[in-house]
Amino acid sequence: MSEPWERAIVLVDMNAFFASIEQLDHPELRGRPVGITNGQTGTCIITSSYEARAHGVRTGMRLKEARQLCPDILQIPARPERYARVSTDIMTALESVTPDLEVFSVDEAFLDVTRCQRLLGPPEVIARRVKDTVHEASGLPCSVGMSGDKTTAKWAAKQHKPDGLTVIPPWEAAARLAPVPVTELCGIAGGIGGYLEQRGVYTCGDMAQLPVSELARRFGNLGRRIWLMAQGRDPTPVETRIAPPKSLGHGKVMPPGTRERAVILTYLEHMAFKVGTRLRRHDLLALRFFIGLRADYGWIGGTYRTAVATDDSRQLNALCRRMLNEHWSGEGVSQVQITALEPRPAAGQLELFDAGQAPGAADSVRVRAAHGVMDAINRRYGEFTLAPARLLSRSDMPNVIAPAWKPGGHRQTV
């Protein structure tokens, strides 16, 4: 057996995840171009099958444009709850390979298998085992990249899609990355890429000519990490702990140019209901909330405070009406957003005046009891089995999976 690597990191990347699930569940879709949209009335491609991608269809493209490129594309409404269940099955199965697992997104995960090499075999064997584990848990293909650091492993996973397997030994990482544009690495987007380009850094190989101190002065620790990333030495560990939330929110896209106050209020109440429910589910309270509407020129709204920290959707709805009265002048809007800022555990430090002694405390107790009953019913029978009457006319657009989705904790939400 060869010597174990000093560090061995695997990246699992599901291939066209949502589209692949639809083709798995519906055999008649296999081999055909599929575009997933947010509901039957959705107009934007969330993801597409490889058959559609071959015609140039891409995520974020409007359905109308996609049909011009691929007239035979089949529009399929997203089923986020199904995708979340499959992702949870995959992540749970991967824990049988190693407990050192970081769920990076709904369709990606890092595994630190450094400590598993004596037990499971050489890195190539472990990488193959990871692929087999994913297929057994889901019936789906995936692409796997393996190297000595997270950045190189993630880049490796992109090299042979779909259903690929790429292993880059740590001692080969710098040479393999050298001709790669720095903007192909995860975390280096246009802003940082432009900064590097001004200093003659176009490819990862160019990075060694730039003093690490220059990046550190501009970006701090992130700059040092970028410098190491480009040379296949990303020091970032696989993070198994889910950090406490800095914010917790929900938003929804509206028909472009919506100007009807009643419609906007319905969307806002819909999001207030979801934020309040999610705060209660995770025993969190918040004192400050961002409430906004997106117009053509940017966001309307701002940050609002409640008298005491709360998880009550009714109080959020009152703040929404206040925001609408103060900031909205009848212009067309296309999106709503409500975000609880700096939520904290409900069992934490009490306010200056204990809720049990404050005016209206008895009513507060009754409200919390009612919330408990409503939440229990909705968990059992469906999200809006009990809900305010206004939400009977809410948008028929289904829920979506948040980019930071996790199979457990406060990010387990759609």
Side-chain angles (χ1 to χ4, degrees):
M1 174 180 174
S2 59
E3 283 297 309
W5 291 1
E6 183 177 346
R7 194 164 178 240
I9 307 296
V10 176
L11 186 280
V12 173
D13 186 358
M14 303 305 298
N15 302 144
F17 186 46
F18 300 168
S20 294
I21 292 175
E22 296 299 340
Q23 291 178 320
L24 177 71
D25 291 351
H26 304 284
E28 68 275 14
L29 299 179
R30 296 174 190 172
R32 304 181 68 183
V34 170
I36 308 298
T37 60
N38 187 21
Q40 192 63 53
T41 58
T43 61
C44 184
I45 300 292
I46 297 174
T47 191
S48 56
S49 66
Y50 280 92
E51 293 83 0
R53 294 181 189 189
H55 292 269
V57 177
R58 294 290 180 266
T59 297
M61 183 177 286
R62 292 292 177 183
L63 183 60
K64 180 178 180 180
E65 183 182 355
R67 283 179 170 149
Q68 292 174 345
L69 295 172
C70 182
D72 296 331
I73 192 169
L74 300 172
Q75 179 189 9
I76 304 297
R79 296 182 296 153
E81 289 80 8
R82 168 64 173 152
Y83 309 152
R85 286 196 301 272
V86 175
S87 182
T88 299
D89 290 344
I90 291 169
M91 303 309 172
T92 301
L94 288 174
E95 290 179 344
S96 69
V97 178
T98 176
D100 298 329
L101 173 73
E102 176 183 341
V103 180
F104 193 64
S105 68
V106 70
D107 61 349
E108 290 181 288
F110 286 104
L111 297 85
D112 187 336
V113 296
T114 306
R115 298 186 295 173
C116 305
Q117 296 176 81
R118 296 291 186 190
L119 177 65
L120 300 180
E124 295 85 353
V125 173
I126 298 175
R128 174 58 60 185
R129 178 175 182 143
V130 168
K131 279 183 65 71
D132 292 343
T133 298
V134 170
H135 190 266
E136 290 169 6
S138 65
L140 298 173
C142 68
S143 292
V144 167
M146 186 171 193
S147 193
D149 69 288
K150 291 173 73 173
T151 294
T152 309
K154 186 169 174 61
W155 179 80
K158 299 178 182 178
Q159 301 315 298
H160 300 97
K161 283 192 169 188
D163 201 20
L165 174 60
T166 304
V167 177
I168 300 177
W171 53 90
E172 296 180 7
R176 293 285 295 273
L177 291 176
V180 176
V182 289
T183 50
E184 284 193 19
L185 301 186
C186 179
I188 303 182
I192 296 176
Y195 175 89
L196 293 172
E197 184 176 321
Q198 291 173 5
R199 286 150 182 82
V201 178
Y202 300 91
T203 67
C204 293
D206 296 331
M207 188 72 79
Q209 310 305 316
L210 184 70
V212 64
S213 57
E214 185 165 345
L215 280 174
R217 277 197 305 271
R218 175 63 178 84
F219 300 108
N221 287 334
L222 174 61
R224 296 184 184 91
R225 184 195 170 202
I226 290 169
W227 192 81
L228 292 168
M229 282 166 51
Q231 298 170 72
R233 296 189 287 154
D234 181 3
T236 310
V238 168
E239 183 58 71
T240 59
R241 183 182 65 91
I242 299 177
K246 296 180 180 179
S247 64
L248 186 155
H250 285 279
K252 190 170 280 290
V253 174
M254 309 170 68
T258 298
R259 287 182 168 84
E260 296 179 46
R261 182 182 177 88
V263 173
I264 296 172
L265 281 172
T266 298
Y267 273 83
L268 287 169
E269 187 163 355
H270 186 178
M271 295 303 101
F273 186 90
K274 289 179 71 70
V275 170
T277 299
R278 192 168 164 207
L279 285 169
R280 294 191 297 272
R281 183 191 313 155
H282 300 295
D283 294 319
L284 297 170
L285 300 172
L287 189 64
R288 299 188 306 120
F289 298 84
F290 170 78
I291 302 172
L293 305 172
R294 189 173 186 85
D296 289 342
Y297 54 84
W299 284 96
I300 303 167
T303 300
Y304 289 81
R305 294 173 64 96
T306 51
V308 296
T310 187
D311 58 13
D312 187 353
S313 303
R314 299 181 311 165
Q315 293 188 45
L316 302 190
N317 198 41
L319 293 181
C320 290
R321 290 175 176 272
R322 179 179 158 194
M323 182 280 295
L324 208 60
N325 291 334
E326 292 178 353
H327 291 282
W328 184 62
S329 302
E331 60 267 63
V333 295
S334 59
Q335 187 177 343
V336 299
Q337 179 69 38
I338 301 178
T339 301
L341 304 174
E342 299 174 355
R344 63 185 193 227
Q349 182 176 336
L350 296 176
E351 300 296 330
L352 178 60
F353 298 102
D354 188 302
Q357 300 174 353
D363 180 62
S364 176
V365 170
R366 285 193 294 269
V367 168
R368 294 193 68 82
H371 279 153
V373 172
M374 179 179 68
D375 292 344
I377 291 172
N378 287 341
R379 281 195 299 270
R380 181 166 184 178
Y381 296 105
E383 184 178 21
F384 292 100
T385 302
L386 286 182
R390 179 184 289 277
L391 297 190
L392 291 173
S393 58
R394 68 184 183 274
S395 166
D396 63 355
M397 299 284 272
N399 292 327
V400 297
I401 298 178
W405 182 92
K406 297 285 188 291
H410 62 275
R411 289 176 177 164
Q412 184 190 22
T413 185
V414 294

